[in-house]
Amino acid sequence: MINVAVLGYGTVGSGVVEVINTNKDIINNKIKEEINVKYVLDLREFPGDPVMDILTHDYNDILNDPEVEIVAEVMGGVNPAYEFVKSALEKGKSVCTSNKELVAKHGPELIKIAREHNRNFFFEASVGGGIPIIRPLNTSVTADDVLEITGILNGTTNFILTKMSKEGLGFDEVLKEAQDLGYAEKNPSADVDGFDACRKISILASLVYGKHVNFEDVYTEGITKITDKDFVYANKLNSSIKLFGSAKKQNGKLFAYVAPMMITSEHTLYSVNGVFNAIMVKGNVLDDIMFYGSGAGKLPTASAVVSDVVDAIRHLNDNVYTEWEEEKLELSDFDASEKKFFVRVENTAGKEDEVKASFGDVEIVKVDEFNDEFGFITSVMSEKEFNEKVSKVSGVITRIRME
Ligand code: HSE
């Protein structure tokens, strides 16, 4: 029998217990052992729930029980998860987590501790919910120079942007719907300000490049300034607006960012709609590959956690090497990264000439719906150059980066 402890009985934690109970025979067949959830740790009580038989409020019950070989940490947040996970690894238990804050901040240290103890620290569910992406990056995409990894990494913002695009609704209205449906939190900042996607792209880029990408170094812009009017232009341009998390090599430099991007229907990620996530990887010999699926939600996320548990059981006394060193990966200054920009300006007398005087030849975009403004698309230029040029134009309403 292999004993597992689950830290946290919230949405994902109850999902982990449910997945193990529902698919017990399948899982047992895969591991040629019997899996058993011996403990669930939570501060709360759950009267009437069978989990009460295995519920503990004291982490030491788990830490000091030598029969517990695997810990599934699904509490979220850095504290106390960090101390719990670190001490479990030091006690010779493998840990599987869905906790992107923990992985983005302490990933390389926890990977190292697991390696030193010949155990495993797995985190498939920390990015892309149920989508297998961590394991493929670690074990499959190893023969390539990865030129780019770009993802729609946040289901809540993708739901909001998709609704705005397809139904012409405003940001606040759709955010409220996302909250009513339980996708967005009451305080939606982590999602709509891009912080969640920032941690996820930091994890992916660290795995791809083998050194630590500090999430605080990643340029991060959320979707709160995107309006229904932006989508009128996007539709006219046969495009959509998606929140991208990306790490990309350009002109011999490596950039990482989270930002809303206007993309045409030709783009690989254009059709990723609603709460779905997708991650596109471009290798120098592999070319483009894409991973797609449910990026959030109780059971898809729990599925990824339990698949890590299965892998940890298959490698009980055997560390699966993960390339993510503590050494910091230096990112290039985002100001030097290059792209086109879509800009909306107030349509006052002489404005087109003013725009062209600063930007040179641009593509003007007019839509029937608005007479008091127009849009234009710049040529490819650096962020720095764009900021210099746009500062010379008055009446700028907004700008969105393009791919
Ligand atoms: N809030 C996240 C999302 C949950 O909307 O994608 C999954 O990390």
Side-chain angles (χ1 to χ4, degrees), residues 100 125-126 128-129 153-157 183 185 191 196 200 275 277 295-297 301:
K100 65 221 149 199
S126 64
L153 301 171
N154 183 269
T156 304
T157 47
Y183 297 140
E185 307 281 337
D191 292 320
D196 176 82
K200 290 170 177 168
V275 290
N277 283 193
T301 309

Side-chain angles (χ1 to χ4, degrees), residues 160-177:
I160 293 171
L161 294 174
T162 303
K163 275 251 164 190
M164 289 174 75
S165 172
K166 299 210 180 298
E167 297 176 26
L169 303 172
F171 175 80
D172 292 335
E173 195 178 345
V174 187
L175 172 61
K176 188 172 177 317
E177 188 179 343

Side-chain angles (χ1 to χ4, degrees), residues 25 159 169 191 214 219:
D25 292 343
F159 172 85
L169 303 172
D191 292 320
N214 186 347
Y219 175 86

Side-chain angles (χ1 to χ4, degrees), residues 156-266:
T156 304
T157 47
N158 205 42
F159 172 85
I160 293 171
L161 294 174
T162 303
K163 275 251 164 190
M164 289 174 75
S165 172
K166 299 210 180 298
E167 297 176 26
L169 303 172
F171 175 80
D172 292 335
E173 195 178 345
V174 187
L175 172 61
K176 188 172 177 317
E177 188 179 343
Q179 286 170 320
D180 292 345
L181 287 168
Y183 297 140
E185 307 281 337
K186 261 202 190 112
N187 177 354
S189 174
D191 292 320
V192 299
D193 290 321
F195 305 142
D196 176 82
C198 169
R199 278 154 182 82
K200 290 170 177 168
I201 192 61
S202 303
I203 293 169
L204 296 180
S206 298
L207 276 175
V208 163
Y209 299 112
K211 291 182 188 168
H212 186 55
V213 173
N214 186 347
F215 64 84
E216 285 159 349
D217 293 344
V218 175
Y219 175 86
T220 300
E221 187 179 309
I223 64 163
T224 53
K225 290 187 190 141
I226 302 294
T227 68
D228 44 350
K229 286 189 175 177
D230 296 324
F231 279 103
V232 174
Y233 288 94
N235 288 339
K236 162 122 190 188
L237 293 165
N238 199 20
S239 297
S240 194
I241 302 165
K242 302 281 185 193
L243 184 67
F244 276 7
S246 184
K248 199 175 193 172
K249 289 186 178 176
Q250 199 180 55
N251 306 328
K253 295 177 173 154
L254 179 66
F255 300 101
Y257 68 87
V258 171
M261 301 295 291
M262 192 180 283
I263 56 170
T264 72
S265 58
E266 305 289 304

Side-chain angles (χ1 to χ4, degrees), residues 380-393:
V380 173
M381 61 185 65
S382 70
E383 293 274 338
K384 184 167 184 276
E385 191 182 350
F386 173 78
N387 288 331
E388 281 163 10
K389 289 184 190 305
V390 85
S391 69
K392 294 181 191 139
V393 178

